[in-house]
Amino acid sequence: MTPFDRPPVGMNLARTSKVVAQAFDAALVEAGGTLPVWLTLLSVKSKELANQRELAGMIGIQGATLTHHLNAMEAQGLLTRRRDPENRRVHQVALTETGEALFEKLRLAAVAFDKRLRAGIPDERLAEFAEMLALLRANAGGT
């Protein structure tokens, strides 16, 4: 048996990741958002008044890309930005009522998607899968 008798793990994982990510994004779009909007709302919601630099790190994007998203979300009335009184170069970000409402809508969509994704998989297998993913990340040099 050669290593290529079955698809390499990395290739299989990449294909699966792409399909799952596309399906998740479609579920968020159907609920009125996008993946970048959801990640931004989730990050701000999970950390009261996160600053933009911390927020970019939490989401995993560059500052300029985040600024683009924040400008659009602020124009839509989803969040506010204000200067940190202790450091005028830092903006603090908070959700508005409209942002809170969209967060809840997207949260419900994310929970429903997760439930759909887990359908038919016993908890023990999901725990084993989580451990396997962590091991693959570590083997790839990630954390």
Side-chain angles (χ1 to χ4, degrees), residues 70-117:
L70 292 178
N71 287 343
M73 292 174 72
E74 191 171 29
Q76 295 168 348
L78 299 174
L79 53 83
T80 60
R81 290 182 286 182
R82 64 180 175 88
R83 298 236 182 242
D84 185 330
E86 295 181 22
N87 183 348
R88 304 286 298 155
R89 294 176 295 164
V90 173
H91 283 94
Q92 294 178 326
V93 183
L95 300 184
T96 63
E97 279 187 40
T98 304
E100 292 279 356
L102 182 58
F103 169 82
E104 186 58 25
K105 228 175 139 181
L106 296 180
R107 186 189 69 77
L108 292 173
V111 167
F113 181 80
D114 188 63
K115 184 176 180 180
R116 184 176 112 204
L117 204 55

Side-chain angles (χ1 to χ4, degrees), residues 115-136:
K115 184 176 180 180
R116 184 176 112 204
L117 204 55
R118 293 168 175 257
I121 306 172
D123 288 344
E124 315 80 60
R125 301 247 354 243
L126 287 169
E128 184 180 330
F129 180 62
E131 291 172 11
M132 185 64 64
L133 288 174
L135 184 56
L136 288 170

